Amino acid sequence: MLKTRIIPSLLLRGSSIVKSVQFQGPRMIGDAMTAVKVFSQRKADELLILDIDAYKNGIQFELIERLASFAFMPLTIGGGISSLEDAKKIFQSGADKISINQAFHINPELIEELVAIFGSQAISISLDFRKTDRGYASYFNNGSTESRNTLKQLIETAAKLEVGELLINSIDQDGLMKGFDNALIAEVADQTKLPIIACGGCGSISHFSDAIDAGADAVSAGSIFHWVGESLLTIRRNLKDLGYNLR
């Protein structure tokens, strides 16, 4: 059985780290380089950096390379990846994995190519969901464009493409610190054997355990570190005391 991972997530805008609420009104909370150094010192299991404007402004390759040079843990980079060349440059910059959102929806053939070249373990698919009266609808381009595919269709496609993992983000819960959308996590977990990273809404240590119980293999969070000031050490210790098998 794989050990559960606790993954700090950083939203990048320019050279700053920002936090949004339901994907709206991102507020600057600090410098990206400083944040990477802090999580490196705290020995995070992994670090996830998502550039929320890269899909329209392009990928900041030089900045990614600088950030990667201070990331002494596995590093996942996402935002704006739309070609094989983009992926190559990000890996060459020091990333261990790439997280892909838009291209998965509009160009699944690219995902197939990336898996064939870099391996399943290096490809993470990021899916952003909002709850509607029709069930969960998926969005891309930082939540601005609705996918034509259902949750079930997206999960099936990801499995067929043999990607390494799914980053499941709740737009509704993003930034509220009221807990993950555990019903969403459970619904995805019921339909796939792919590892699931829960994201969006964490505000307390109990939220981590709730997401794991719902089916998450890893939990990604930002606000609990930035606004609450909770430490990775405390989170790990509390979850281990509750019997969870952490990395």
Side-chain angles (χ1 to χ4, degrees):
M1 182 177 178
L2 293 176
K3 293 186 177 182
T4 302
R5 295 165 287 157
I6 305 299
I7 307 173
S9 59
L10 301 175
L11 299 183
L12 189 65
R13 169 170 272 185
S15 61
S16 299
I17 299 302
V18 298
K19 277 301 299 176
S20 59
V21 175
Q22 297 179 326
F23 282 34
Q24 300 297 314
R27 295 169 56 189
M28 188 178 78
I29 59 174
D31 172 70
M33 190 70 71
T34 301
V36 171
K37 290 178 180 178
V38 167
F39 284 117
S40 289
Q41 292 168 355
R42 294 178 181 175
K43 296 179 171 57
D45 294 330
E46 297 180 23
L47 184 62
L48 171 64
I49 300 178
L50 302 175
D51 188 329
I52 63 174
D53 288 335
Y55 75 94
K56 59 183 179 181
N57 294 339
I59 301 171
Q60 302 181 85
F61 293 108
E62 291 184 5
L63 177 60
I64 290 170
E65 186 170 5
R66 292 201 303 274
L67 295 175
S69 69
F70 289 97
F72 301 108
M73 77 291 272
L75 176 64
T76 301
I77 298 291
I81 300 168
S82 60
S83 68
L84 174 59
E85 188 60 29
D86 287 343
K88 285 181 178 178
K89 287 182 179 180
I90 290 177
F91 283 122
Q92 289 167 357
S93 296
D96 299 280
K97 292 190 284 188
I98 54 175
S99 181
I100 300 177
N101 178 254
Q102 180 199 61
F104 174 72
H105 292 276
I106 65 176
N107 186 13
E109 293 80 10
L110 172 63
I111 311 304
E112 185 175 21
E113 183 179 20
L114 295 176
V115 168
I117 294 172
F118 300 108
S120 297
Q121 80 291 337
I123 310 300
S124 176
I125 297 300
S126 174
L127 296 174
D128 303 325
F129 290 100
R130 180 181 283 124
K131 194 169 186 178
T132 72
D133 55 7
R134 309 184 311 277
Y136 287 104
S138 182
Y139 291 77
F140 55 97
N141 290 344
N142 198 28
S144 63
T145 306
E146 184 174 354
S147 171
R148 296 179 180 180
N149 296 306
T150 65
L151 181 150
K152 182 178 181 180
Q153 290 170 330
L154 293 168
I155 300 305
E156 288 177 346
T157 298
K160 289 178 181 177
L161 293 171
E162 299 182 347
V163 303
E165 62 188 13
L166 300 174
L167 175 67
I168 303 299
N169 199 356
S170 168
I171 299 174
D172 300 312
Q173 298 299 107
D174 173 61
L176 296 180
M177 295 188 288
K178 295 181 178 180
F180 297 95
D181 188 335
N182 295 312
L184 170 60
I185 296 167
E187 185 169 335
V188 174
D190 284 343
Q191 298 184 46
T192 186
K193 294 181 180 179
L194 289 172
I196 296 169
I197 304 172
C199 188
C202 188
S204 72
I205 293 176
S206 66
H207 294 157
F208 285 96
S209 57
D210 291 342
I212 298 167
D213 292 343
D217 301 278
V219 184
S220 183
S223 295
I224 191 171
F225 300 116
H226 302 308
W227 302 133
V228 179
E230 200 65 75
S231 74
L232 280 166
L233 180 62
T234 302
I235 293 168
R236 285 200 191 101
R237 183 172 61 243
N238 277 268
L239 290 174
K240 285 183 177 179
D241 287 346
L242 291 171
Y244 291 95
N245 186 23
L246 300 187
R247 179 176 291 181

